[in-house]
Amino acid sequence: MKRFVQLVVCSVIAIAVTAPVHAATATSSFNVTANLTSKCEITVAPAPVVFTYTSFETAAVAATGGGFTMRCTNLLPYTLSVPGGGTLIGLVYTLGTSAAGGTGAGLTTASHSITGSMAANQSGDCAAGSCTATDTHTLTITY
């Protein structure tokens, strides 16, 4: 009998060791959501817009300077605007931008400039040999 019990125990162990193990899996799908707030930013502020004008110029004078760089979220459309112009020391000028706008290119910056023109045949207001005046304007990027 003892031998019989030993044989049964050994048989059970052998069956347990050699029995195939079946792995099971369960799956489920899930969502990944990204929320992006698009924006534009000026990376290099506009350089000063400068007019060098002599009273009674016979032709309009273009401004120098005004360059700036910016970037916007990739594919984001934007527009550029500045005030139409003004008057400094009796000289009337107009302002604009080198482009009306564009489309963002992500990390790649876009170079633009603020343009200006001062009409011909202006006298100006100056009680000295030369005068300088400064006015502050705002560049607006709309997106």
Side-chain angles (χ1 to χ4, degrees):
M1 179 77 172
K2 185 176 177 182
R3 179 118 172 98
F4 178 72
V5 172
Q6 286 177 342
L7 185 60
V8 170
V9 170
C10 287
S11 296
V12 170
I13 292 174
I15 292 172
V17 171
T18 59
V21 177
H22 296 285
T25 60
T27 62
S28 177
S29 58
F30 60 94
N31 295 326
V32 174
T33 302
N35 296 307
L36 172 66
T37 301
S38 297
K39 78 173 198 172
C40 292
E41 63 185 17
I42 297 170
T43 54
V44 175
V49 176
V50 179
F51 292 100
T52 303
Y53 193 89
T54 301
S55 291
F56 315 115
E57 289 277 356
T58 58
V61 173
T64 60
F68 65 95
T69 60
M70 57 167 289
R71 65 183 177 189
C72 290
T73 302
N74 196 40
L75 305 177
L76 181 66
Y78 63 88
T79 58
L80 303 172
S81 63
V82 293
T87 303
L88 285 171
I89 51 180
L91 300 170
V92 177
Y93 63 92
T94 59
L95 296 174
T97 56
S98 58
T103 302
L107 294 175
T108 303
T109 58
S111 295
H112 296 290
S113 61
I114 298 168
T115 59
S117 181
M118 193 169 274
N121 297 314
Q122 297 186 73
S123 168
D125 300 328
C126 183
S130 67
C131 293
T132 300
T134 301
D135 196 5
T136 301
H137 292 284
T138 301
L139 164 66
T140 301
I141 303 170
T142 303
Y143 54 93

